[in-house]
Amino acid sequence: MRSQVQAPNNGRLRFQIMMVVVLLVSLLVGSMPAKAADNEADPSVQEAFGQLQAGKRLKGERTYVTPEQPTVYLTFDDGPSKLTNQVLDILDKEDVKATFFVLGEQAKAHPAELKRIVKDGHAIGNHTYNHVYKELYSDFQTFWNQIQRSEDVISNIVGIRPQLVRAPGGTATNFDAYYFYLMEQAGYIMEDWNVDSGDSKRANVPVNEIWQTVKASPLDHEINILFHDGTGHESSVQVLPQVISYYKKLGYAFATLTDQVKPKQFAITKPKWSRNMNLKQFQSMIDQTQQYAVAHPSPSDLLKQAEEKRLAQKLEAEAEEKAKAKMEEEAEAARILAKQAALPLQVHVLGGNTFTIEPSIYKLHANQIELPLRYLIEKMGGKVAWQADTKTANAHYGIYDMDYDLVNRSISLFTLGKQTATYSLADMNMQDNQIIVPLRKTIVSLGGRITNAVMDPDYREVSMALSPLHFFKENNRILKNSLFAMAG
């Protein structure tokens, strides 16, 4: 009885175990494609990720312009604020332009000051939205989101999307290779500085301390100097005229930062922030930054695209004009040739007969009159014999014989049966079972010459002197239309 009661329980247990195993296997198999998908990435992205993970910075190639005159780039961070108008008044009085790296939340709070910055001809840079280090440097996605948020605020107020970006606190110890690379992929230019005025070391830094810091800073051909126009930087405003005067006396010019100015950037050091980047996150950020770059080309890229478009349109117009001119030229040449092709050729033999060659028999080609050998020789009173088996022809005229060998493209000349010359690669061809030869060269080979040629649009005439016998003498006349006479 006990065994009969236990048997169903054992079967039920085995079934339950089997179902658990099937469920586990299905879960395992189902998770494998997802895992593989997580690791999928473009090979170039994987390569970049590996180098960045090793701490190597990957820089894109850019071209910059170095100013001839030593130049100072005044930059102001953390604004705009109520102090910004005072800074702008000083810059206006000194006829100096500067670059303002603004915070999104400050721009939102002081739109009038932001509008004046642009109206006065100064440059705008992005300084993130709220300047909170812990948020900005916890991971790149947060930094990116703040850049986009600040940019949207700036764009809504003044219609500008700044390409220049300054990291709060600078990039040293805050940026790693990923941050630099991804910002460059989006088309942004990171700007640090090479002179720090020291106006943000602590609250209410005295004017004289700022002045001494600036004065003790090394001079360079291009100086990117850091100031602040945010709340609490009254000393920066007060020292500004003295700083401008100092650099002017040293021969420096002042200008705004642009994408043509080589940026001052700190070297990568060990970040003081703990963060991780995996391949999936990196691929996602690559997609976001590259999509942004396509949607928001830089001013230089826009200028380059416009120039390329203008050049392409110019080349296209020139090509169309040339093609049109060529078509007209070819059409005109065809009309002339068609007209000339219908002209008969009058041939006058000095001391001999005169005959007419119909347009269907001869043609002008490369400044030569070409016609069938048999027709020419027989018109002059000679004979032509054709040997089909050897593809050779013999032209006999007076004391001259010419053997044409089409296979070897050679002509042998005989005078009174004695070979006097051989020409290789001879000028002849076979058309419609006829050997076609140039008139002038053939006449010269037979001891004659072209004495006159008239090739008018409405009339053609050639005069020649022949010497069927050695003692024949023709009058030595002045050749006319020498180009056609030599080419005929």
Side-chain angles (χ1 to χ4, degrees):
M1 286 292 292
R2 183 176 298 173
S3 61
Q4 291 178 351
V5 173
Q6 290 178 348
N9 291 335
N10 291 338
R12 190 180 302 111
L13 179 61
R14 285 195 296 272
F15 177 77
Q16 291 174 345
I17 293 173
M18 182 178 68
M19 291 301 294
V20 170
V21 171
V22 170
L23 180 60
L24 290 173
V25 170
S26 65
L27 289 174
L28 178 62
V29 172
S31 67
M32 290 178 65
K35 185 176 181 181
D38 289 348
N39 292 328
E40 287 181 359
D42 183 272
S44 62
V45 172
Q46 291 186 21
E47 181 181 356
F49 177 76
Q51 295 186 57
L52 295 170
Q53 195 174 39
K56 181 179 179 181
R57 183 172 175 187
L58 305 178
K59 289 186 177 182
E61 292 186 4
R62 294 185 65 93
T63 301
Y64 302 104
V65 177
T66 301
E68 293 184 7
Q69 185 176 354
T71 303
V72 169
Y73 305 99
L74 293 174
T75 65
F76 298 88
D77 290 8
D78 297 356
S81 73
K82 293 180 179 180
L83 296 176
T84 302
N85 279 325
Q86 298 179 44
V87 172
L88 292 171
D89 288 342
I90 295 170
L91 296 176
D92 183 55
K93 182 179 179 180
E94 297 289 344
D95 192 23
V96 166
K97 302 302 180 185
T99 304
F100 291 79
F101 289 94
V102 303
L103 294 169
E105 63 180 5
Q106 288 298 110
K108 193 173 183 180
H110 299 276
E113 286 79 359
L114 183 66
K115 289 178 180 178
R116 184 183 170 189
I117 291 172
V118 175
K119 179 177 175 293
D120 288 0
H122 304 287
I124 297 288
N126 194 329
H127 199 41
T128 73
Y129 186 80
N130 65 11
H131 208 282
V132 178
Y133 289 13
K134 188 175 181 180
E135 293 181 20
L136 294 169
Y137 303 124
S138 60
D139 64 87
F140 181 78
Q141 183 70 65
T142 303
F143 184 89
W144 174 258
N145 292 343
Q146 280 218 25
I147 291 294
Q148 299 308 301
R149 186 180 179 187
S150 179
E151 184 173 307
D152 288 341
V153 171
I154 298 168
S155 178
N156 289 335
I157 297 173
V158 292
I160 294 174
R161 290 188 173 273
Q163 186 182 10
L164 305 177
V165 174
R166 174 168 283 165
T171 60
T173 74
N174 294 320
F175 265 38
D176 55 21
Y178 294 112
Y179 272 63
F180 274 114
Y181 181 76
L182 290 169
M183 290 298 286
E184 288 174 3
Q185 287 295 298
Y188 290 115
I189 299 175
M190 297 307 305
E191 293 281 358
D192 286 313
W193 54 85
N194 60 347
V195 171
D196 184 352
S197 68
D199 66 347
S200 63
K201 289 181 179 179
R202 61 187 184 280
N204 302 314
V205 180
V207 171
N208 188 59
E209 184 176 330
I210 298 173
W211 165 242
Q212 293 301 327
T213 300
V214 172
K215 191 176 180 181
S217 299
L219 299 176
D220 201 352
H221 188 74
E222 294 180 89
I223 295 176
N224 185 326
I225 183 168
L226 172 65
F227 282 103
H228 294 78
D229 66 327
T231 301
H233 288 90
E234 288 80 1
S235 296
S236 301
V237 178
Q238 295 171 28
V239 79
L240 185 57
Q242 189 175 1
V243 171
I244 294 174
S245 175
Y246 167 70
Y247 283 113
K248 281 185 174 180
K249 289 178 180 178
L250 292 175
Y252 279 86
F254 290 82
T256 61
L257 291 172
T258 70
D259 60 352
Q260 297 298 301
V261 178
K262 186 175 182 179
K264 303 298 181 183
Q265 294 179 347
F266 300 141
I268 293 179
T269 56
K270 184 178 180 180
K272 59 184 177 183
W273 308 95
S274 177
R275 56 180 178 248
N276 294 308
M277 175 81 75
N278 59 43
L279 181 57
K280 182 180 179 182
Q281 293 170 329
F282 182 66
Q283 178 70 70
S284 174
M285 292 313 309
I286 283 290
D287 294 340
Q288 292 182 56
T289 54
Q290 291 183 347
Q291 287 171 10
Y292 175 90
V294 172
H296 304 94
S298 68
S300 291
D301 289 338
L302 288 173
L303 187 63
K304 183 179 179 182
Q305 291 171 12
E307 180 62 22
E308 289 176 348
K309 183 178 180 180
R310 187 195 65 78
L311 181 60
Q313 290 174 340
K314 180 182 177 182
L315 293 175
E316 183 179 356
E318 290 177 351
E320 289 179 355
E321 190 66 26
K322 288 181 179 179
K324 182 179 178 181
K326 184 178 180 181
M327 288 177 62
E328 292 176 352
E329 183 180 337
E330 290 176 347
E332 180 63 21
R335 284 193 294 270
I336 293 174
L337 288 175
K339 185 177 180 181
Q340 292 179 345
L343 293 176
L345 177 65
Q346 304 298 325
V347 179
H348 302 282
V349 181
L350 185 63
N353 64 332
T354 296
F355 57 91
T356 301
I357 304 178
E358 295 301 326
S360 59
I361 297 176
Y362 81 97
K363 68 176 181 178
L364 286 176
H365 180 257
N367 286 333
Q368 291 189 129
I369 296 174
E370 296 182 348
L371 72 170
L373 173 66
R374 183 183 296 276
Y375 180 91
L376 174 63
I377 298 299
E378 290 180 351
K379 278 289 184 180
M380 295 189 306
K383 295 182 179 180
V384 174
W386 167 250
Q387 304 295 328
D389 55 341
T390 58
K391 291 187 177 181
T392 58
N394 172 261
H396 175 76
Y397 177 74
I399 63 172
Y400 302 102
D401 285 278
M402 296 176 68
D403 287 346
Y404 289 79
D405 187 337
L406 267 71
V407 176
N408 298 311
R409 287 190 61 193
S410 65
I411 299 176
S412 297
L413 178 63
F414 298 85
T415 304
L416 295 173
K418 182 178 180 182
Q419 185 170 350
T420 55
T422 299
Y423 306 104
S424 299
L425 298 176
D427 192 355
M428 60 178 171
N429 62 82
M430 195 77 168
Q431 293 179 12
D432 300 326
N433 295 320
Q434 298 183 95
I435 299 176
I436 306 300
V437 295
L439 175 63
R440 181 188 66 82
K441 292 181 181 179
T442 305
I443 295 302
V444 171
S445 297
L446 293 174
R449 63 172 177 161
I450 303 297
T451 60
N452 183 36
V454 177
M455 293 292 165
D456 292 338
D458 300 316
Y459 181 74
R460 288 179 182 169
E461 176 183 287
V462 172
S463 298
M464 63 180 74
L466 299 174
S467 300
L469 301 176
H470 225 29
F471 53 82
F472 180 85
K473 301 290 184 181
E474 81 278 359
N475 294 328
N476 187 14
R477 300 172 59 192
I478 298 176
L479 299 181
K480 300 178 181 178
N481 294 337
S482 58
L483 174 63
F484 288 99
M486 292 301 293

